[in-house]
Amino acid sequence: MTTFEELVAIDCGVLDDAADLGARLTAEQWRTPSACTGWTVADLVAHLIDIEQVLLDDPRPDHEPDWDSMPWVDRDLSRFTEVGVDARRGLPQEQVIAELRDTTERRMAQIEAGPHDLDALVPGFFGKQTPIGRQLSRRIFDSWAHLQDMRVALGIDEGWESIAGRVVRGQLIDGAEHAWSTLDKAPLDAVCIVLTDIGETISFGDSPEITTISMTWPDFFARTCGRVASDDPDWLSRVQIDGDFDLGARFLSAIAMTP
């Protein structure tokens, strides 16, 4: 069981790592496109700032994006998040990084001043009360996923076995388990995902006839976080399905936790 203090330390560490990475980038790297459609590395940092400031109850930017230039914005939530990102486009890199550091410091102070019982309710998004433990876990998920988006975009292969990475992997496995529970399948169907680079096997269902899906942890992250489509040829070239190919393909199609 992860404690309040551990969750806060992980959350703060991820945000600090994002700021440290962003601070050492060249101007060209700062503008590198990421796997999040329409967003650069700079936009990912802007998003981290915006969401933490929402939880701080800071005033949102008084800004109206040019929605016609953003075809990837197709839902209310996308419109909400895009405002804080677009408002920071074009700002100096140093200013954005400084804002992330200041926001992180204020957010950590807010958390420390609040309840430390993981089940205690705190204000969440859109006025919804949320247990602080769940809120911290969700923020670790979102922030670390975007930190990895930054690293992947920049060709930096690190952070996968960090404590935050292990926390997020557990959440992604839980999401895949939920996808399995709702998948149209036969009663004795079973699948296991083998993360070949870290030697981890994740099993779903109970049957002697098991369909095995082999991939790396980064490729599992890419699919479960919706960074790649399940029929993407390049991604599929690194995935091996042994057994019932149709079952494996349908499961891979269902396991994305984010759009």
Short mmCIF file of all heavy atoms in Angstrom, two decimals, residues 110-163:
data_model
loop_
_atom_site.label_atom_id
_atom_site.label_comp_id
_atom_site.label_asym_id
_atom_site.label_seq_id
_atom_site.Cartn_x
_atom_site.Cartn_y
_atom_site.Cartn_z
N GLN A 110 0.05 23.11 -1.20
CA GLN A 110 -1.39 22.92 -1.04
C GLN A 110 -1.70 21.50 -0.57
O GLN A 110 -2.51 21.30 0.35
CB GLN A 110 -2.10 23.19 -2.37
CG GLN A 110 -3.61 22.98 -2.33
CD GLN A 110 -4.22 22.85 -3.73
OE1 GLN A 110 -3.73 22.07 -4.56
NE2 GLN A 110 -5.27 23.62 -3.99
N ILE A 111 -1.05 20.53 -1.16
CA ILE A 111 -1.30 19.14 -0.80
C ILE A 111 -0.87 18.88 0.64
O ILE A 111 -1.60 18.25 1.43
CB ILE A 111 -0.56 18.19 -1.77
CG1 ILE A 111 -1.16 18.28 -3.18
CG2 ILE A 111 -0.62 16.75 -1.27
CD1 ILE A 111 -0.36 17.56 -4.24
N GLU A 112 0.32 19.37 1.01
CA GLU A 112 0.83 19.14 2.36
C GLU A 112 -0.06 19.80 3.41
O GLU A 112 -0.22 19.28 4.51
CB GLU A 112 2.26 19.69 2.48
CG GLU A 112 3.31 18.84 1.77
CD GLU A 112 3.55 17.50 2.44
OE1 GLU A 112 3.01 17.26 3.55
OE2 GLU A 112 4.26 16.67 1.84
N ALA A 113 -0.68 20.94 3.05
CA ALA A 113 -1.55 21.64 4.00
C ALA A 113 -2.91 20.98 4.15
O ALA A 113 -3.65 21.28 5.09
CB ALA A 113 -1.72 23.10 3.56
N GLY A 114 -3.25 20.09 3.25
CA GLY A 114 -4.55 19.43 3.28
C GLY A 114 -4.51 18.13 4.05
O GLY A 114 -3.53 17.81 4.72
N PRO A 115 -5.58 17.34 3.97
CA PRO A 115 -5.65 16.08 4.71
C PRO A 115 -4.64 15.06 4.18
O PRO A 115 -4.38 15.00 2.97
CB PRO A 115 -7.09 15.61 4.45
CG PRO A 115 -7.49 16.27 3.17
CD PRO A 115 -6.80 17.59 3.17
N HIS A 116 -4.08 14.27 5.09
CA HIS A 116 -3.11 13.25 4.70
C HIS A 116 -3.73 11.86 4.67
O HIS A 116 -3.06 10.90 4.28
CB HIS A 116 -1.91 13.27 5.66
CG HIS A 116 -1.04 14.47 5.50
ND1 HIS A 116 0.28 14.49 5.88
CD2 HIS A 116 -1.30 15.71 4.98
CE1 HIS A 116 0.80 15.68 5.62
NE2 HIS A 116 -0.15 16.43 5.08
N ASP A 117 -4.96 11.74 5.08
CA ASP A 117 -5.69 10.48 4.99
C ASP A 117 -6.05 10.25 3.52
O ASP A 117 -6.74 11.08 2.90
CB ASP A 117 -6.96 10.54 5.84
CG ASP A 117 -7.79 9.27 5.80
OD1 ASP A 117 -7.50 8.39 4.95
OD2 ASP A 117 -8.74 9.16 6.59
N LEU A 118 -5.60 9.15 2.94
CA LEU A 118 -5.79 8.91 1.50
C LEU A 118 -7.26 8.88 1.10
O LEU A 118 -7.59 9.12 -0.06
CB LEU A 118 -5.12 7.60 1.09
CG LEU A 118 -3.59 7.58 1.19
CD1 LEU A 118 -3.06 6.20 0.79
CD2 LEU A 118 -2.97 8.65 0.31
N ASP A 119 -8.15 8.60 2.05
CA ASP A 119 -9.58 8.54 1.73
C ASP A 119 -10.29 9.88 1.93
O ASP A 119 -11.47 10.01 1.62
CB ASP A 119 -10.27 7.49 2.61
CG ASP A 119 -9.79 6.08 2.30
OD1 ASP A 119 -9.54 5.80 1.11
OD2 ASP A 119 -9.68 5.26 3.24
N ALA A 120 -9.58 10.87 2.44
CA ALA A 120 -10.19 12.18 2.68
C ALA A 120 -10.52 12.85 1.35
O ALA A 120 -9.75 12.79 0.39
CB ALA A 120 -9.25 13.06 3.49
N LEU A 121 -11.67 13.51 1.31
CA LEU A 121 -12.12 14.15 0.08
C LEU A 121 -11.53 15.55 -0.06
O LEU A 121 -11.46 16.32 0.90
CB LEU A 121 -13.65 14.24 0.06
CG LEU A 121 -14.40 12.91 0.05
CD1 LEU A 121 -15.91 13.16 0.09
CD2 LEU A 121 -14.02 12.07 -1.17
N VAL A 122 -11.09 15.86 -1.29
CA VAL A 122 -10.56 17.18 -1.62
C VAL A 122 -11.20 17.64 -2.92
O VAL A 122 -11.69 16.82 -3.71
CB VAL A 122 -9.02 17.15 -1.77
CG1 VAL A 122 -8.35 16.82 -0.45
CG2 VAL A 122 -8.61 16.16 -2.85
N PRO A 123 -11.20 18.95 -3.19
CA PRO A 123 -11.79 19.42 -4.45
C PRO A 123 -11.03 18.88 -5.66
O PRO A 123 -9.80 18.89 -5.69
CB PRO A 123 -11.64 20.95 -4.35
CG PRO A 123 -11.52 21.23 -2.90
CD PRO A 123 -10.79 20.06 -2.32
N GLY A 124 -11.78 18.39 -6.63
CA GLY A 124 -11.19 17.89 -7.86
C GLY A 124 -11.62 18.72 -9.04
O GLY A 124 -11.96 19.90 -8.90
N PHE A 125 -11.63 18.10 -10.21
CA PHE A 125 -12.00 18.82 -11.42
C PHE A 125 -13.51 19.09 -11.45
O PHE A 125 -14.32 18.26 -11.04
CB PHE A 125 -11.60 18.02 -12.66
CG PHE A 125 -10.11 17.93 -12.83
CD1 PHE A 125 -9.42 16.77 -12.54
CD2 PHE A 125 -9.40 19.04 -13.27
CE1 PHE A 125 -8.05 16.70 -12.69
CE2 PHE A 125 -8.02 18.98 -13.41
CZ PHE A 125 -7.35 17.80 -13.13
N PHE A 126 -13.85 20.27 -11.93
CA PHE A 126 -15.24 20.67 -12.14
C PHE A 126 -16.06 20.58 -10.86
O PHE A 126 -17.24 20.26 -10.86
CB PHE A 126 -15.88 19.81 -13.24
CG PHE A 126 -15.02 19.70 -14.48
CD1 PHE A 126 -14.51 18.48 -14.89
CD2 PHE A 126 -14.72 20.83 -15.23
CE1 PHE A 126 -13.71 18.39 -16.03
CE2 PHE A 126 -13.92 20.75 -16.36
CZ PHE A 126 -13.42 19.53 -16.76
N GLY A 127 -15.38 20.83 -9.71
CA GLY A 127 -16.08 20.88 -8.43
C GLY A 127 -16.36 19.53 -7.80
O GLY A 127 -16.98 19.47 -6.73
N LYS A 128 -15.89 18.46 -8.41
CA LYS A 128 -16.16 17.13 -7.87
C LYS A 128 -15.19 16.80 -6.73
O LYS A 128 -13.98 16.96 -6.86
CB LYS A 128 -16.03 16.08 -8.98
CG LYS A 128 -16.37 14.67 -8.53
CD LYS A 128 -16.29 13.69 -9.68
CE LYS A 128 -16.64 12.28 -9.23
NZ LYS A 128 -16.58 11.30 -10.34
N GLN A 129 -15.74 16.32 -5.62
CA GLN A 129 -14.92 15.90 -4.49
C GLN A 129 -14.30 14.53 -4.78
O GLN A 129 -14.99 13.61 -5.23
CB GLN A 129 -15.76 15.83 -3.21
CG GLN A 129 -16.27 17.19 -2.74
CD GLN A 129 -15.18 18.04 -2.15
OE1 GLN A 129 -14.50 17.64 -1.20
NE2 GLN A 129 -14.99 19.23 -2.70
N THR A 130 -13.00 14.40 -4.51
CA THR A 130 -12.26 13.20 -4.85
C THR A 130 -11.35 12.81 -3.70
O THR A 130 -10.73 13.69 -3.09
CB THR A 130 -11.38 13.45 -6.10
OG1 THR A 130 -12.18 13.96 -7.15
CG2 THR A 130 -10.71 12.16 -6.57
N PRO A 131 -11.23 11.53 -3.35
CA PRO A 131 -10.26 11.13 -2.34
C PRO A 131 -8.85 11.57 -2.75
O PRO A 131 -8.45 11.39 -3.89
CB PRO A 131 -10.38 9.60 -2.29
CG PRO A 131 -11.76 9.32 -2.82
CD PRO A 131 -12.01 10.37 -3.85
N ILE A 132 -8.10 12.13 -1.83
CA ILE A 132 -6.77 12.66 -2.15
C ILE A 132 -5.86 11.55 -2.68
O ILE A 132 -5.03 11.80 -3.57
CB ILE A 132 -6.14 13.36 -0.93
CG1 ILE A 132 -4.78 13.97 -1.29
CG2 ILE A 132 -6.02 12.42 0.25
CD1 ILE A 132 -4.83 15.02 -2.38
N GLY A 133 -5.99 10.34 -2.18
CA GLY A 133 -5.17 9.24 -2.68
C GLY A 133 -5.43 8.97 -4.15
O GLY A 133 -4.49 8.78 -4.94
N ARG A 134 -6.70 8.97 -4.54
CA ARG A 134 -7.05 8.75 -5.94
C ARG A 134 -6.58 9.91 -6.80
O ARG A 134 -6.07 9.71 -7.91
CB ARG A 134 -8.56 8.57 -6.08
CG ARG A 134 -9.01 8.27 -7.52
CD ARG A 134 -10.52 8.15 -7.61
NE ARG A 134 -11.05 7.14 -6.71
CZ ARG A 134 -12.34 6.97 -6.46
NH1 ARG A 134 -13.24 7.77 -7.04
NH2 ARG A 134 -12.74 6.03 -5.63
N GLN A 135 -6.73 11.12 -6.29
CA GLN A 135 -6.31 12.28 -7.06
C GLN A 135 -4.80 12.25 -7.31
O GLN A 135 -4.34 12.50 -8.44
CB GLN A 135 -6.69 13.58 -6.34
CG GLN A 135 -6.38 14.84 -7.13
CD GLN A 135 -6.79 16.09 -6.38
OE1 GLN A 135 -5.95 16.70 -5.71
NE2 GLN A 135 -8.06 16.47 -6.47
N LEU A 136 -4.04 11.94 -6.29
CA LEU A 136 -2.58 11.87 -6.45
C LEU A 136 -2.19 10.77 -7.43
O LEU A 136 -1.31 10.96 -8.27
CB LEU A 136 -1.91 11.63 -5.09
CG LEU A 136 -1.84 12.84 -4.16
CD1 LEU A 136 -1.41 12.41 -2.77
CD2 LEU A 136 -0.89 13.90 -4.71
N SER A 137 -2.85 9.62 -7.34
CA SER A 137 -2.55 8.52 -8.27
C SER A 137 -2.85 8.91 -9.70
O SER A 137 -2.08 8.59 -10.63
CB SER A 137 -3.35 7.27 -7.88
OG SER A 137 -2.95 6.77 -6.63
N ARG A 138 -3.95 9.60 -9.90
CA ARG A 138 -4.31 10.04 -11.25
C ARG A 138 -3.34 11.08 -11.78
O ARG A 138 -3.00 11.10 -12.96
CB ARG A 138 -5.74 10.59 -11.25
CG ARG A 138 -6.81 9.51 -11.10
CD ARG A 138 -8.19 10.14 -11.01
NE ARG A 138 -9.24 9.12 -11.01
CZ ARG A 138 -10.53 9.39 -10.84
NH1 ARG A 138 -10.92 10.65 -10.63
NH2 ARG A 138 -11.42 8.42 -10.86
N ARG A 139 -2.89 11.99 -10.88
CA ARG A 139 -1.94 13.00 -11.32
C ARG A 139 -0.59 12.37 -11.65
O ARG A 139 0.07 12.78 -12.60
CB ARG A 139 -1.76 14.08 -10.24
CG ARG A 139 -2.96 14.96 -10.01
CD ARG A 139 -3.51 15.54 -11.31
NE ARG A 139 -2.47 16.19 -12.10
CZ ARG A 139 -2.36 16.04 -13.42
NH1 ARG A 139 -3.18 15.27 -14.11
NH2 ARG A 139 -1.39 16.65 -14.07
N ILE A 140 -0.16 11.38 -10.88
CA ILE A 140 1.07 10.67 -11.21
C ILE A 140 0.94 10.02 -12.58
O ILE A 140 1.86 10.09 -13.42
CB ILE A 140 1.40 9.62 -10.13
CG1 ILE A 140 1.81 10.32 -8.83
CG2 ILE A 140 2.51 8.68 -10.60
CD1 ILE A 140 1.86 9.40 -7.63
N PHE A 141 -0.20 9.40 -12.83
CA PHE A 141 -0.44 8.75 -14.13
C PHE A 141 -0.30 9.76 -15.26
O PHE A 141 0.45 9.56 -16.22
CB PHE A 141 -1.82 8.11 -14.15
CG PHE A 141 -2.18 7.48 -15.47
CD1 PHE A 141 -1.98 6.13 -15.69
CD2 PHE A 141 -2.72 8.23 -16.50
CE1 PHE A 141 -2.29 5.54 -16.90
CE2 PHE A 141 -3.04 7.66 -17.72
CZ PHE A 141 -2.82 6.31 -17.92
N ASP A 142 -1.04 10.85 -15.17
CA ASP A 142 -1.06 11.83 -16.27
C ASP A 142 0.30 12.48 -16.44
O ASP A 142 0.81 12.60 -17.56
CB ASP A 142 -2.13 12.88 -15.99
CG ASP A 142 -2.30 13.87 -17.14
OD1 ASP A 142 -2.67 13.43 -18.24
OD2 ASP A 142 -2.06 15.07 -16.94
N SER A 143 0.90 12.90 -15.34
CA SER A 143 2.18 13.61 -15.43
C SER A 143 3.29 12.71 -15.94
O SER A 143 4.10 13.12 -16.78
CB SER A 143 2.55 14.21 -14.07
OG SER A 143 1.58 15.15 -13.64
N TRP A 144 3.36 11.48 -15.41
CA TRP A 144 4.42 10.58 -15.86
C TRP A 144 4.22 10.17 -17.31
O TRP A 144 5.19 10.09 -18.07
CB TRP A 144 4.50 9.34 -14.97
CG TRP A 144 5.67 8.46 -15.34
CD1 TRP A 144 6.96 8.61 -14.94
CD2 TRP A 144 5.65 7.32 -16.20
NE1 TRP A 144 7.76 7.63 -15.49
CE2 TRP A 144 6.97 6.82 -16.27
CE3 TRP A 144 4.65 6.66 -16.91
CZ2 TRP A 144 7.32 5.70 -17.03
CZ3 TRP A 144 4.99 5.55 -17.68
CH2 TRP A 144 6.30 5.07 -17.72
N ALA A 145 2.97 9.94 -17.71
CA ALA A 145 2.71 9.60 -19.11
C ALA A 145 3.21 10.71 -20.03
O ALA A 145 3.83 10.45 -21.07
CB ALA A 145 1.23 9.34 -19.33
N HIS A 146 2.97 11.97 -19.64
CA HIS A 146 3.42 13.07 -20.49
C HIS A 146 4.93 13.29 -20.38
O HIS A 146 5.55 13.74 -21.36
CB HIS A 146 2.65 14.34 -20.15
CG HIS A 146 1.23 14.30 -20.63
ND1 HIS A 146 0.89 13.94 -21.92
CD2 HIS A 146 0.05 14.54 -20.00
CE1 HIS A 146 -0.41 13.99 -22.08
NE2 HIS A 146 -0.95 14.33 -20.92
N LEU A 147 5.52 12.99 -19.24
CA LEU A 147 6.98 13.01 -19.15
C LEU A 147 7.57 11.99 -20.12
O LEU A 147 8.55 12.28 -20.83
CB LEU A 147 7.43 12.73 -17.72
CG LEU A 147 8.92 12.54 -17.49
CD1 LEU A 147 9.72 13.76 -17.91
CD2 LEU A 147 9.20 12.21 -16.01
N GLN A 148 6.97 10.79 -20.17
CA GLN A 148 7.46 9.79 -21.11
C GLN A 148 7.19 10.21 -22.55
O GLN A 148 7.99 9.93 -23.45
CB GLN A 148 6.82 8.43 -20.82
CG GLN A 148 7.29 7.79 -19.53
CD GLN A 148 8.81 7.72 -19.39
OE1 GLN A 148 9.41 8.53 -18.69
NE2 GLN A 148 9.42 6.77 -20.07
N ASP A 149 6.06 10.89 -22.80
CA ASP A 149 5.81 11.43 -24.14
C ASP A 149 6.95 12.37 -24.55
O ASP A 149 7.39 12.36 -25.70
CB ASP A 149 4.49 12.19 -24.17
CG ASP A 149 3.27 11.29 -24.09
OD1 ASP A 149 3.34 10.14 -24.54
OD2 ASP A 149 2.22 11.75 -23.57
N MET A 150 7.39 13.20 -23.62
CA MET A 150 8.51 14.09 -23.89
C MET A 150 9.76 13.29 -24.24
O MET A 150 10.44 13.56 -25.24
CB MET A 150 8.79 14.99 -22.69
CG MET A 150 7.69 15.99 -22.36
SD MET A 150 7.95 16.83 -20.75
CE MET A 150 9.45 17.77 -21.09
N ARG A 151 10.07 12.31 -23.40
CA ARG A 151 11.28 11.52 -23.62
C ARG A 151 11.23 10.74 -24.93
O ARG A 151 12.21 10.71 -25.68
CB ARG A 151 11.46 10.56 -22.44
CG ARG A 151 11.90 11.25 -21.15
CD ARG A 151 11.81 10.31 -19.96
NE ARG A 151 12.46 10.87 -18.77
CZ ARG A 151 12.20 10.48 -17.53
NH1 ARG A 151 11.30 9.52 -17.30
NH2 ARG A 151 12.83 11.03 -16.51
N VAL A 152 10.10 10.11 -25.21
CA VAL A 152 9.97 9.34 -26.44
C VAL A 152 10.14 10.25 -27.65
O VAL A 152 10.84 9.91 -28.62
CB VAL A 152 8.61 8.62 -26.48
CG1 VAL A 152 8.36 8.01 -27.86
CG2 VAL A 152 8.56 7.51 -25.42
N ALA A 153 9.51 11.42 -27.63
CA ALA A 153 9.61 12.36 -28.75
C ALA A 153 11.06 12.77 -28.99
O ALA A 153 11.47 12.98 -30.14
CB ALA A 153 8.75 13.58 -28.48
N LEU A 154 11.82 12.85 -27.90
CA LEU A 154 13.21 13.30 -27.99
C LEU A 154 14.20 12.16 -28.15
O LEU A 154 15.41 12.40 -28.21
CB LEU A 154 13.55 14.11 -26.73
CG LEU A 154 12.74 15.40 -26.55
CD1 LEU A 154 12.85 15.89 -25.11
CD2 LEU A 154 13.22 16.46 -27.52
N GLY A 155 13.70 10.92 -28.19
CA GLY A 155 14.58 9.77 -28.34
C GLY A 155 15.36 9.44 -27.08
O GLY A 155 16.45 8.86 -27.15
N ILE A 156 14.80 9.79 -25.93
CA ILE A 156 15.45 9.52 -24.64
C ILE A 156 14.82 8.27 -24.04
O ILE A 156 13.66 8.27 -23.65
CB ILE A 156 15.30 10.71 -23.69
CG1 ILE A 156 15.92 11.97 -24.29
CG2 ILE A 156 15.92 10.39 -22.33
CD1 ILE A 156 15.64 13.22 -23.50
N ASP A 157 15.58 7.19 -23.95
CA ASP A 157 15.05 5.91 -23.47
C ASP A 157 15.40 5.73 -22.00
O ASP A 157 16.37 5.07 -21.64
CB ASP A 157 15.64 4.76 -24.31
CG ASP A 157 15.01 3.42 -23.96
OD1 ASP A 157 13.89 3.41 -23.41
OD2 ASP A 157 15.65 2.38 -24.23
N GLU A 158 14.59 6.34 -21.14
CA GLU A 158 14.83 6.20 -19.70
C GLU A 158 13.53 6.42 -18.94
O GLU A 158 12.53 6.85 -19.51
CB GLU A 158 15.88 7.21 -19.23
CG GLU A 158 15.49 8.66 -19.38
CD GLU A 158 16.58 9.62 -18.94
OE1 GLU A 158 17.76 9.40 -19.26
OE2 GLU A 158 16.23 10.63 -18.28
N GLY A 159 13.55 6.08 -17.67
CA GLY A 159 12.41 6.32 -16.80
C GLY A 159 11.41 5.19 -16.72
O GLY A 159 10.49 5.24 -15.90
N TRP A 160 11.58 4.15 -17.54
CA TRP A 160 10.56 3.10 -17.59
C TRP A 160 10.48 2.30 -16.30
O TRP A 160 9.40 1.86 -15.92
CB TRP A 160 10.84 2.16 -18.77
CG TRP A 160 10.77 2.86 -20.08
CD1 TRP A 160 11.82 3.22 -20.89
CD2 TRP A 160 9.59 3.33 -20.74
NE1 TRP A 160 11.35 3.88 -22.00
CE2 TRP A 160 10.00 3.96 -21.95
CE3 TRP A 160 8.23 3.28 -20.43
CZ2 TRP A 160 9.08 4.52 -22.83
CZ3 TRP A 160 7.32 3.84 -21.30
CH2 TRP A 160 7.75 4.45 -22.49
N GLU A 161 11.59 2.13 -15.61
CA GLU A 161 11.58 1.35 -14.37
C GLU A 161 11.73 2.25 -13.14
O GLU A 161 12.15 1.79 -12.08
CB GLU A 161 12.66 0.28 -14.41
CG GLU A 161 12.22 -0.96 -15.20
CD GLU A 161 10.91 -1.55 -14.67
OE1 GLU A 161 10.92 -2.17 -13.59
OE2 GLU A 161 9.87 -1.39 -15.33
N SER A 162 11.41 3.52 -13.29
CA SER A 162 11.36 4.41 -12.13
C SER A 162 10.17 4.00 -11.26
O SER A 162 9.28 3.27 -11.69
CB SER A 162 11.20 5.85 -12.59
OG SER A 162 9.95 6.01 -13.26
N ILE A 163 10.15 4.51 -10.03
CA ILE A 163 9.03 4.17 -9.15
C ILE A 163 7.72 4.70 -9.73
O ILE A 163 6.68 4.04 -9.67
CB ILE A 163 9.26 4.71 -7.72
CG1 ILE A 163 8.14 4.22 -6.80
CG2 ILE A 163 9.37 6.23 -7.70
CD1 ILE A 163 8.43 4.45 -5.32
#
